[in-house]
């Protein structure tokens, strides 16, 4: 997995094989499957490379179909669905070993003026006052696998709190909440394209903690099986992925072995930059290591 912004850009900078056909390479990883944010970001890069630069992505909707192999390259096949005067649409299918592992539809739009409003950013502590999540995990478990810990060097995490630990204000309507400050850990190129791609990579992180909060379970618990099922992002306004952004997460429901999380993305000055939705498999493991 990438250690910094330069390695992240290199990971996402796909090889063009033919018209609308790209190959994404892997980096050494101890993860058991390809990180979902990597599949999403590489697919978005593939789609973007087939669209006129005057269009920028405004939304993506995707499904995780099969676990990806971290030792094999991924082929991204882009289908041009529409090139209109204002919007362009692409469908991307990612394959490994001849089988589909991920599917995305992305929509792009030419810049234009229009109505403008947003929900205000909640009052939260600054990133500098929040908990360094990785440092806290190392302190709580000095014997943890350092190789696994280094998988996430490309991102800074600062934990603000959840509805389970009393670090967030009481809210009788939202019992499943979580907030993080995140950013890419080093400087990205100034090109807005790389900030959208890098944010997409990071957007798959931390979300299911909000769905687990009411149940007294933490992300990474050996008693729980979690796997992303689908992922959607709406991009409202440009922002830098290498500057702090607040991931304000709420889970409206968990049922049927699945959990849904909705999240707003705010910059430090209160600008609402994006909205994210994800549903994931949430299962309790049996004592034998399987899933119920």
């Amino acid at each position: 997995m990438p250690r910094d912004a330069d390695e992240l850009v290199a990971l996402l900078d796909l090889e063009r094989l033919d018209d609308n056909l790209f190959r994404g390479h892997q980096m050494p990883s101890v993860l058991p499957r390809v990180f979902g944010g990597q599949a999403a970001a590489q697919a978005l890069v593939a789609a973007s490379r087939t669209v006129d630069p005057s269009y920028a992505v405004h939304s993506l909707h995707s499904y995780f179909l099969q676990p990806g192999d971290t030792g094999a390259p991924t082929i991204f096949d882009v289908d041009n669905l529409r090139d209109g005067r204002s919007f362009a649409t692409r469908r991307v299918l990612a394959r490994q070993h001849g089988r589909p592992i991920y599917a995305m539809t992305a929509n792009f739009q030419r810049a234009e003026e229009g109505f403008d409003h947003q929900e205000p950013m909640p009052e939260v502590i600054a990133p500098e006052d929040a908990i360094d999540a990785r440092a806290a995990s190392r302190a709580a478990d000095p014997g943890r696998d350092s190789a696994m810990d280094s998988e996430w060097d490309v991102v800074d995490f600062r934990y603000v709190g959840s509805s389970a630990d009393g670090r967030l204000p009481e809210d009788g309507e939202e019992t499943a909440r979580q907030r993080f400050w995140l950013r890419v850990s080093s400087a990205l190129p100034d090109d807005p394209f790389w900030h959208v791609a890098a944010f997409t990579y990071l957007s798959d992180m931390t979300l299911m903690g909000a769905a687990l909060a009411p149940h007294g379970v933490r992300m990474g618990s050996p008693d729980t099986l979690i796997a992303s099922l689908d992922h959607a992002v709406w991009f409202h306004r440009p922002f830098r992925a290498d500057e702090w952004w607040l991931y304000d997460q709420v889970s409206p429901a968990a049922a049927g072995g699945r959990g849904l999380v909705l999240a707003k993305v705010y910059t430090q000055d209160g600008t609402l930059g994006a909205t994210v939705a994800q549903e994931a498999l949430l299962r309790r493991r049996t004592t034998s290591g399987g899933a119920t």
Side-chain angles (χ1 to χ4, degrees), residues 39-250:
Q42 287 184 327
L44 179 57
V45 170
S48 299
R49 294 249 166 104
T50 70
V51 176
D52 187 284
S54 62
Y55 295 80
V57 64
H58 76 82
S59 68
L60 64 87
H61 304 262
S62 61
Y63 284 93
F64 300 95
L65 305 175
Q66 298 281 347
D69 180 356
T70 59
T74 306
I75 302 300
F76 295 90
D77 190 355
V78 183
D79 190 9
N80 184 340
L81 300 185
R82 175 177 60 169
D83 278 323
R85 287 181 296 178
S86 298
F87 293 92
T89 307
R90 299 293 187 267
R91 182 169 54 206
V92 185
L93 188 62
R95 293 187 179 90
Q96 286 185 328
H97 308 298
R99 64 190 180 107
I101 65 167
Y102 176 81
M104 170 190 287
T105 301
N107 218 36
F108 300 78
Q109 182 185 15
R110 291 187 190 271
E112 64 178 80
E113 297 296 323
F115 298 108
D116 194 304
H117 74 273
Q118 68 164 69
E119 290 189 6
M121 178 178 173
E123 293 186 9
V124 295
I125 59 176
E128 297 76 15
D129 299 323
I131 297 171
D132 184 329
R134 295 175 63 206
S137 296
R138 288 193 295 267
D141 183 11
R144 63 183 286 142
D145 185 349
S146 59
M148 179 64 76
D149 194 48
S150 66
E151 290 282 345
W152 310 113
D153 284 345
V154 73
V155 57
D156 280 341
F157 299 92
R158 295 294 185 272
Y159 176 67
V160 176
S162 80
S163 54
D165 59 17
R167 294 182 180 275
L168 297 183
E170 291 291 334
D171 188 327
E173 294 183 0
E174 297 175 349
T175 60
R177 295 184 297 151
Q178 180 176 259
R179 289 175 183 154
F180 270 89
W181 287 105
L182 288 89
R183 67 178 178 183
V184 176
S185 59
S186 56
L188 288 161
D190 288 334
D191 186 344
F193 172 83
W194 291 116
H195 291 268
V196 169
F199 167 75
T200 301
Y201 181 94
L202 267 60
S203 69
D204 189 34
M205 296 179 180
T206 75
L207 286 167
M208 282 303 122
L212 295 172
H215 309 285
V217 180
R218 290 186 176 275
M219 290 284 289
S221 168
D223 300 327
T224 308
L225 175 65
I226 302 175
S228 301
L229 297 173
D230 59 14
H231 191 76
V233 182
W234 294 264
F235 299 92
H236 309 308
R237 301 171 180 88
F239 62 97
R240 292 188 67 97
D242 57 3
E243 295 179 357
W244 290 114
W245 42 275
L246 178 71
Y247 221 0
D248 182 22
Q249 307 161 355
V250 176

Side-chain angles (χ1 to χ4, degrees), residues 271-284:
T271 299
L272 180 61
T275 300
V276 178
Q278 184 178 92
E279 190 173 46
L281 178 73
L282 297 179
R283 285 180 178 163
R284 294 187 184 276

